[in-house]
Amino acid sequence: MTRLDRMLATVVALTGAIAVLEVFSDMGRPVRPLVVLPFLAIGPGYAVVLLLGLRDRVAEATLAVALSIAIDMAVAMVMLYAGAWSPRFAVLAIASLSTVCVAAAFPLRRSVLP
Amino acid sequence: MHIVEAPTAAEQDTPSSAPSNAIARFALPLTLLGVAVAVWIRSLPQIEIRHVNDLGLLSVLPVGTLAAMALLTVSFCIVLLSRRPNELLLLIHVVALIVMLYAITTFVEQEPRFAVTWRHAGISQYVLDTGRVDPDIDAYFNWPGFFILGALLTKAAALKSVLSMAAWAPLVYNLMYLGPLLMICRTSSDDPRIVWFALWLFYATDWIGQDYFSPQGLAYFLYLVIIAIVLRWFPGTTRAPGRRWMRGRLRGAVRRFLDRLDRPDPGAVASAEKVLPARRAALALVLIAVFAALVPMHQLTPFAVLAAVATLVLVNRSSFRSLPVLFAVLIGTWISFMAVSYFAGHSADVTGQAGNVHETLNQNLGRRLQGSSLHLIVVYTRIGLTACLWVLAAYGARRWFRRRGSVLPYAALAIAPFPIILLQPYGGEILLRVYLFSLPFMVVLASAAMFGRPRTSPVVLLVVALAFLPAFLVARYGNEKMDYFTHGEVEAVDHLYAAAPPGSSLFALQGNLPWKFKGYASYRYNRVTPSIQWERITGRPQTAVRGLADLMGARPVPAFLIVTRSQAAAAEMTEGVAASTVSRFEDAIASSPRFETIYRNRDARVFMLRRTGAAR
């Protein structure tokens, strides 16, 4: 990982943690949308993309958004169809997954997935 | 899969000439860009949307707005035609174009546009209110991914309502498309001029307007991402055995044509060799994950993706040969298990018109060629813009074919969506969707028409770049008179919901109004027309009022009627109803003892059916 990758990964993990805190503490507008929406739109996907080591910022950003949509939707749909619909716990699950991916990506070097 | 050569060494700046070119390269375009943005922002308050006519938004745009767009185009062309186009500058220009073309209505209109936007918000609101989806309600609940995601984002971000996001959807979606489009265009050429002119053309010709708060808007992003991944990391590298067998049995010009079409692509081979199995496997999982998100989101787009990836395999431009099978299995699984409710009740609707091209053309073209004379100009502009782009793309494909590099994947992807027309008319919209799905590849081909040898004159390039913009404004915003909504209309709908108890029958003259954003399944929503035809409303309004009372009183529940400005505009524009017809009908309803006016403002009236005597 480059220094920028590490910085962005840390931002993703921190934003996820803040999003969880805001959602569970019922913090309202205007701060909550400014943290939660960007995190859900980019965070989980970027955490996964870090594992791919793509070396192309455009591709990384594109895949980060696409995978974030896929992850957010998968978590929400599983909860809904399981009869356990809870946006709060969905954010918790997504933030946890993101943190695990970031933690897994940190020891990786670019050369692992050439 | 590279089209044309990048600028040659002779075209590069020499070190001595670089400083003298710095002003031309950066200062001039940045100044023009800054002036264009400033003029555009200053022109916005002059746009009076209430004065829009049947020609659409263009009829109320001040000279400043158009001048700003023209200035931006000139600036973009200056950067594009410089010897070493600066990609950051080009990106800034394209982003400015996206804002000017796609966010303009967000800035000048009071409420999110399109009736269907409000309906989509209502479905997400249903998920928020109930925490479940009921597939028996309608088709949306059989492909609910987008609405569940909308509900999650709204609740998690503590937004006031789903509609808080809706007004910004066109801008956000189009900025999202930029990433995968850039990836797709870059697989076609090393030449930044071709790449960025293709992007410019995309945004100047995407008049379809499916980028509102809709499953199609988001699904289109995933469609682009999937194709970008396949083109970038799974290019075809070997000739398929079937094609080799076929080629062995062909002779003469046909064989030479196929050889030329199918010649190995050095760029693709080189990039394929760089992707080792570990990353390829990881990217395959990404592809499957993205497609798995797409399948429960939209009915049509997964089939467009399937057609695209299958076409790439067929023309030997995808090394992931099992991908179409995997995608088909995912689609089949969803339809078999999760969309059973819909297919149980609508199998005839879905399959009954398969192959009926005549009906498809009638619904998609024939029924659109009607309305007021100005509206017909809009319709013909749409047809003309589409035809011009496709002709330019065909010319580009021919030029590309004559140069080195393979035109095949982009030509094939441009054609791949067309067989979808055979499936069904898709509510009269299938041709629009086919245009949308083929657009990214049409613009790559069209861009190739403008560059390479022999050189295209800069004047021609500027004329092409400029000519599409007014056509785009007419084609995309040609229905604005009926597509925009006012605070007054939304307040009337709010009043309707406040007055009508759950279970009531809600009526509108026709469906173009901002309703269904709450109580999606709690009310019975009805249209007055065509049960009562416009001819009757126009010719005998008093008789039509009695018919209306009978229609609304058919069920023993409270019944309400809402008439709005946007319904009148839609009737006038698309059905040729005279402007005065709706207001005269409103007056007739208001004077009838069978109705009580319970709310009225400048843009809307709400009536309640009186339950008296014969009405029972």
Side-chain angles (χ1 to χ4, degrees):
Chain A
M1 288 175 83
T2 63
R3 185 177 293 175
L4 181 62
D5 286 335
R6 285 176 187 276
M7 196 182 79
L8 290 173
T10 309
V11 169
V12 165
L14 282 176
T15 315
I18 296 168
V20 169
L21 281 175
E22 288 190 346
V23 169
F24 277 89
S25 65
D26 267 338
M27 191 179 285
R29 292 152 63 91
V31 179
R32 190 157 142 191
L34 295 178
V35 175
V36 174
L37 283 181
F39 169 70
L40 291 177
I42 303 168
Y46 186 73
V48 175
V49 165
L50 276 174
L51 298 168
L52 302 177
L54 294 177
R55 297 179 210 169
D56 175 348
R57 294 292 174 204
V58 173
E60 281 183 346
T62 302
L63 266 57
V65 177
L67 282 170
S68 294
I69 291 166
I71 292 166
D72 296 348
M73 221 175 82
V75 170
M77 287 184 74
V78 165
M79 283 185 155
L80 191 123
Y81 281 104
W85 169 249
S86 168
R88 281 181 176 185
F89 282 96
V91 173
L92 177 64
I94 293 164
S96 306
L97 178 72
S98 307
T99 309
V100 168
C101 288
V102 166
F106 257 86
L108 288 183
R109 295 165 63 88
R110 284 281 189 181
S111 57
V112 173
L113 285 177
Chain B
M1 301 179 192
H2 291 65
I3 317 175
V4 246
E5 60 274 25
T8 60
E11 292 172 322
Q12 307 284 325
D13 279 350
T14 58
S16 59
S17 66
S20 61
N21 285 339
I23 292 175
R25 285 189 66 208
F26 296 103
L28 180 62
L30 280 174
T31 307
L32 289 175
L33 175 70
V35 172
V37 171
V39 170
W40 185 77
I41 291 171
R42 278 184 65 88
S43 73
L44 289 180
Q46 299 169 33
I47 300 173
E48 183 47 72
I49 196 71
R50 276 187 181 278
H51 295 160
V52 71
N53 66 20
D54 288 8
L55 199 57
L57 190 66
L58 188 68
S59 64
V60 291
L61 289 185
V63 177
T65 313
L66 299 172
M69 290 175 184
L71 208 56
L72 181 74
T73 310
V74 171
S75 179
F76 174 78
C77 288
I78 289 172
V79 180
L80 197 69
L81 294 171
S82 63
R83 290 189 174 179
R84 283 184 300 165
N86 183 293
E87 293 207 67
L88 181 60
L89 268 181
L90 291 169
L91 172 66
I92 293 169
H93 279 80
V94 171
V95 169
L97 180 76
I98 293 171
V99 174
M100 285 186 186
L101 294 184
Y102 294 91
I104 188 163
T105 49
T106 307
F107 291 117
V108 302
E109 294 179 5
Q110 297 174 350
E111 300 284 352
R113 56 203 289 272
F114 288 143
V116 68
T117 298
W118 297 76
R119 191 195 311 156
H120 290 164
I123 299 164
S124 278
Q125 192 60 47
Y126 176 91
V127 174
L128 275 173
D129 294 342
T130 64
R132 65 190 190 91
V133 290
D134 180 354
D136 292 326
I137 294 176
D138 59 28
Y140 289 119
F141 289 85
N142 289 262
W143 285 270
F146 172 80
F147 306 107
I148 295 171
L149 182 65
L152 170 69
L153 295 180
T154 304
K155 189 73 177 172
L159 300 177
K160 213 159 60 178
S161 89
V162 184
L163 287 161
S164 305
M165 297 184 283
W168 295 99
L171 178 64
V172 172
Y173 278 156
N174 280 288
L175 289 173
M176 284 166 66
Y177 301 158
L178 196 48
L181 282 171
L182 193 52
M183 289 173 68
I184 289 170
C185 293
R186 279 181 173 166
T187 62
S188 72
S189 175
D190 289 332
D191 187 343
R193 296 170 303 173
I194 288 178
V195 170
W196 288 95
F197 193 67
L199 288 171
W200 183 273
L201 279 180
F202 178 88
Y203 288 110
T205 56
D206 182 14
W207 61 268
I208 298 298
Q210 286 296 325
D211 45 22
Y212 60 95
F213 182 74
S214 66
Q216 176 67 89
L218 193 58
Y220 189 62
F221 169 70
L222 299 182
Y223 166 84
L224 294 173
V225 170
I226 289 169
I227 294 174
I229 293 173
V230 174
L231 286 175
R232 171 86 182 268
W233 287 295
F234 296 92
T237 53
T238 56
R239 291 183 173 180
R243 293 176 67 83
R244 206 159 49 225
W245 178 87
M246 187 177 72
R247 194 175 286 106
R249 277 150 187 78
L250 293 171
R251 292 281 178 274
V254 177
R255 181 172 173 168
R256 283 197 299 278
F257 175 77
L258 277 178
D259 277 342
R260 199 167 170 185
L261 204 64
D262 206 23
R263 67 190 146 200
D265 186 336
V269 174
S271 60
E273 283 169 354
K274 288 174 195 164
V275 185
L276 292 186
R279 186 183 288 164
R280 191 182 288 262
L283 286 163
L285 289 176
V286 170
L287 268 178
I288 292 164
V290 173
F291 190 76
L294 176 61
V295 170
M297 188 184 287
H298 196 236
Q299 300 97 318
L300 187 64
T301 309
F303 288 98
V305 174
L306 183 60
V309 295
T311 302
L312 283 175
V313 170
L314 275 176
V315 300
N316 196 27
R317 284 301 184 272
S318 168
S319 58
F320 200 161
R321 296 186 187 285
S322 57
L323 195 61
V325 179
L326 279 170
F327 283 1
V329 168
L330 281 171
I331 294 173
T333 305
W334 183 266
I335 288 174
S336 305
F337 292 100
M338 306 304 287
V340 175
S341 300
Y342 178 75
F343 279 95
H346 299 85
S347 55
D349 296 342
V350 175
T351 59
Q353 298 184 66
N356 191 347
V357 180
H358 179 263
E359 180 58 23
T360 299
L361 290 176
N362 184 36
Q363 284 192 28
N364 282 264
L365 277 177
R367 290 182 197 170
R368 291 177 188 275
L369 293 173
Q370 56 185 359
S372 65
S373 55
L374 281 178
H375 182 65
L376 284 177
I377 293 176
V378 173
V379 175
Y380 286 118
T381 303
R382 288 170 179 159
I383 295 170
L385 191 157
T386 303
C388 285
L389 180 70
W390 287 359
V391 167
L392 194 62
Y395 175 63
R398 185 174 164 275
R399 276 190 83 175
W400 190 349
F401 183 62
R402 294 163 77 102
R403 296 191 295 252
R404 69 183 181 83
S406 172
V407 68
L408 192 57
Y410 307 97
L413 285 168
I415 295 166
F418 282 83
I420 298 173
I421 294 170
L422 297 173
L423 289 179
Q424 60 153 290
Y426 204 65
E429 288 198 359
I430 198 69
L431 283 181
L432 300 179
R433 307 303 171 102
V434 165
Y435 176 84
L436 183 67
F437 292 130
S438 67
L439 185 58
F441 316 105
M442 290 289 184
V443 295
V444 168
L445 297 173
S447 182
M450 308 305 296
F451 298 96
R453 306 281 191 272
R455 275 177 178 277
T456 304
S457 155
V459 177
V460 173
L461 185 81
L462 182 62
V463 167
V464 170
L466 279 172
F468 277 116
L469 291 182
F472 169 88
L473 291 170
V474 173
R476 181 180 169 93
Y477 296 114
N479 293 354
E480 210 53 30
K481 186 174 165 184
M482 65 183 217
D483 288 340
Y484 84 91
F485 299 119
T486 62
H487 291 324
E489 288 172 275
V490 175
E491 279 168 18
V493 177
D494 274 330
H495 200 89
L496 173 72
Y497 283 122
S504 302
S505 284
L506 309 184
F507 286 79
L509 288 185
Q510 53 103 280
N512 189 55
L513 73 161
W515 69 352
K516 301 187 181 179
F517 57 92
K518 57 174 97 166
Y520 190 82
S522 308
Y523 299 98
R524 287 178 66 92
Y525 293 92
N526 307 276
R527 287 181 54 159
V528 172
T529 56
S531 298
I532 298 175
Q533 295 188 329
W534 282 112
E535 289 81 7
R536 193 173 161 198
I537 292 171
T538 308
R540 290 166 292 154
Q542 300 298 339
T543 316
V545 170
R546 283 197 290 278
L548 174 65
D550 293 341
L551 178 72
M552 291 175 64
R555 294 182 69 245
V557 294
F560 298 82
L561 170 72
I562 180 166
V563 183
T564 60
R565 181 211 59 81
S566 52
Q567 292 173 59
E572 187 187 347
M573 285 180 67
T574 62
E575 299 180 75
V577 176
S580 58
T581 297
V582 172
S583 57
R584 277 196 286 129
F585 190 47
E586 277 186 86
D587 293 341
I589 297 168
S591 61
S592 165
R594 305 282 297 272
F595 290 94
E596 178 187 350
T597 304
I598 61 169
Y599 182 79
R600 178 176 187 170
N601 66 29
R602 181 183 175 186
D603 294 321
R605 274 199 252 192
V606 182
F607 303 96
M608 185 178 72
L609 181 70
R610 285 200 177 108
R611 294 283 173 183
T612 57
R616 291 201 180 100

